[in-house]
Amino acid sequence: RQMAESLSSALTPSTTAYSEIWLSGPGGGEKRDPTGGSGSEESEPLYGETYLPRKFKLAISLPHDNCVDVYSHDLGLLAVLQGSKVAGYNVLVGGGFGNTPSNNKTFPALAKPLGFVTPDQVVDVVKAIVKVYRDFGDRSDRKRARLKYLMADWGIGRFKDKVEHYLGIDLPKPWPVRVMDMDDHAGWHDQGDGLCFYGLVIENGRIADRGGLRLKSALRAICQAYGPGIRLTPFQSVLLTHLAQKDRLAIERILRRHGVKLSDDVSPVRRSSMACVALPTCPLAITEAERALPGVVDRLDRELAELGLSDEEFTVRMTGCPNGCARPYSPDIGLVGKSRGKYTLYLGGNTLGTRIGFIYQDQVPLEEIGATVSPLLGYFKSERTDGESFGDFCARKGLEDLQQHAAV
């Protein structure tokens, strides 16, 4: 968190132009003296005369907890641990999932390792990467205005050379560290300071009172009674922090009284499912996602129960368009809106977020998703190796094998 705050501070623009453009009153944006009263133009040492081309996302991860999907961002920092201390970070560059299927110049991509940096070098290295993207990122084509396309055009070697040129030093090779696990932080956990926090699973991030599920009222009651800190997670859930151990049972009673399932009572597949808002909220949406995924998960839960796989953990993500806001290209099962009521089904990613899946079937109607996946789950149970996940199984078998089995 300290590193994230340092990066946020270092990358915050010095100029007031952003405020002038976006923070406007009834009469329009407030005009300010560009000299700040000093008689000289205000400086913007990092961004220069323009902001970065389009999006630029950063994330920091631990090897044993990739809850931020560190490989899906423009720039990621994967911590290298020595005992309980952070010795430094492997810098990852060029991730991003948005794409346009009709444009073969666009594609989802995972970030690639650039080099190793010590904690005191992080800010300078990140600034150097930002400057390279600032100067060479594509401003002519909005669909390719992401760092991953500069990486694809240049390759990791040329990009690293340019970063080192801006930085003035060479970067050591990345350490042999990889992502090993992911933690959704659901349920009760000690904070390390005598207090605890509760990770509340919120399906697709929607906090509302609907029928017997009065989630909004439950959270209001907990906040009024206990005043917890609130953290939003990359899994669209909520952490209620700084709670006293003695209040745990009372908080659980509030949740149950409002029809909210405790996190430990939510099935593994539902805990790890995620959808974007899609229709009717997002103007880019082609299909449903947030409102459709719960029904898909219901069917998967039934199938898994019949197969004796209810405790199996795998990720399911659905988006209403190819822009990939719910990160659907790297999970075990990904569903991407393609046309009205139909989805592209991706298989072969994994829970760790370290592998892009492949297209198993295109234009799958919403009502046929369960029937399409069902025979593959049975195949997985009968043919998996010891400890193999569903995503690893699909990646090992490959498209042709899976299609042949489903056709039998």
Side-chain angles (χ1 to χ4, degrees):
R1 180 176 173 179
Q2 289 176 343
M3 182 61 70
E5 290 175 348
S6 296
L7 289 172
S8 176
S9 176
L11 299 182
T12 298
S14 300
T15 175
T16 60
Y18 188 89
S19 299
E20 292 173 17
I21 294 170
W22 295 106
L23 303 182
S24 59
E30 178 187 355
K31 299 299 181 183
R32 307 186 185 191
D33 180 358
T35 70
S38 65
S40 60
E41 291 289 331
E42 64 177 354
S43 64
E44 180 47 70
L46 182 59
Y47 297 105
E49 297 180 355
T50 56
Y51 288 107
L52 292 177
R54 211 169 178 208
K55 300 177 183 177
F56 195 87
K57 301 178 181 179
L58 291 80
I60 306 172
S61 177
L62 292 162
H64 57 275
D65 180 15
N66 187 29
C67 67
V68 298
D69 270 338
V70 70
Y71 289 97
S72 69
H73 299 270
D74 297 88
L75 196 158
L77 298 173
L78 180 60
V80 175
L81 303 179
Q82 290 183 329
S84 61
K85 294 186 178 181
V86 177
Y89 301 87
N90 282 347
V91 180
L92 311 170
V93 289
F97 285 168
N99 75 105
T100 303
S102 60
N103 184 344
N104 59 14
K105 292 184 178 180
T106 67
F107 45 81
L110 296 178
K112 297 179 176 62
L114 182 73
F116 172 81
V117 297
T118 58
D120 61 303
Q121 294 175 316
V122 168
V123 170
D124 288 339
V125 171
V126 168
K127 282 185 175 182
I129 293 171
V130 168
K131 289 176 182 177
V132 173
Y133 179 49
R134 174 199 68 192
D135 294 344
F136 299 98
D138 193 344
R139 296 182 184 274
S140 64
D141 183 352
R142 184 176 182 272
K143 293 185 181 298
R144 298 193 86 244
R146 295 294 300 273
L147 180 59
K148 64 180 177 180
Y149 298 119
L150 181 60
M151 289 289 302
D153 293 342
W154 280 13
I156 189 70
R158 180 181 174 186
F159 185 85
K160 183 179 181 182
D161 288 344
K162 185 62 70 173
V163 170
E164 290 174 337
H165 174 73
Y166 277 50
L167 191 61
I169 62 172
D170 292 339
L171 295 176
K173 292 182 179 180
W175 281 40
V177 172
R178 60 184 179 87
V179 168
M180 298 175 292
D181 204 353
M182 182 279 300
D183 187 352
D184 63 5
H185 304 285
W188 288 105
H189 300 268
D190 290 334
Q191 287 186 180
D193 59 357
L195 300 175
C196 58
F197 72 87
Y198 186 71
L200 179 62
V201 174
I202 298 177
E203 192 167 19
N204 302 321
R206 182 61 61 185
I207 297 175
D209 287 355
R210 293 174 177 167
L213 175 60
R214 294 179 293 131
L215 177 58
K216 185 176 181 180
S217 295
L219 286 171
R220 180 186 289 115
I222 292 172
C223 289
Q224 289 175 339
Y226 302 102
I230 295 176
R231 302 286 184 271
L232 306 182
T233 81
F235 279 88
Q236 302 174 321
S237 293
V238 167
L239 307 183
L240 302 173
T241 70
H242 297 85
L243 296 168
Q245 298 282 353
K246 64 181 180 62
D247 295 326
R248 289 172 54 156
L249 291 179
I251 289 170
E252 289 182 0
R253 284 195 292 269
I254 291 175
L255 293 171
R256 288 195 178 98
R257 190 167 65 245
H258 289 82
V260 181
K261 279 188 175 182
L262 300 184
S263 295
D264 290 343
D265 296 330
V266 180
S267 72
V269 65
R270 196 175 299 275
R271 274 177 61 156
S272 63
S273 68
M274 181 169 19
C276 70
V277 294
L279 296 174
T281 305
C282 178
L284 300 177
I286 303 167
T287 62
E288 293 279 0
E290 178 193 332
R291 299 188 296 186
L293 185 56
V296 173
V297 173
D298 288 342
R299 170 69 185 268
L300 288 174
D301 271 338
R302 291 193 296 269
E303 296 281 352
L304 292 168
E306 292 176 4
L307 292 168
L309 296 172
S310 292
D311 293 332
E312 192 68 30
E313 294 186 5
F314 58 87
T315 43
V316 182
R317 296 176 183 169
M318 174 184 277
T319 60
C321 82
N323 285 301
C325 291
R327 309 191 294 279
Y329 300 108
S330 62
D332 298 86
I333 299 175
L335 296 159
V336 179
K338 183 64 177 292
S339 62
R340 185 175 181 181
K342 297 181 179 180
Y343 300 79
T344 302
L345 172 59
Y346 287 80
L347 298 175
N350 59 19
T351 303
L352 299 180
T354 58
R355 184 172 59 232
I356 295 287
F358 57 84
I359 295 177
Y360 173 73
Q361 189 170 324
D362 204 12
Q363 300 282 8
V364 181
L366 175 62
E367 60 273 13
E368 296 180 14
I369 291 173
T372 303
V373 174
S374 179
L376 302 178
L377 294 174
Y379 188 30
F380 165 62
K381 181 181 180 180
S382 64
E383 297 287 335
R384 71 188 297 189
T385 61
D386 186 38
E388 188 175 39
S389 69
F390 182 68
D392 290 344
F393 171 80
C394 291
R396 175 171 65 86
K397 289 293 185 180
L399 174 61
E400 185 176 347
D401 183 281
L402 295 176
Q403 288 178 333
Q404 289 177 350
H405 176 82
V408 175

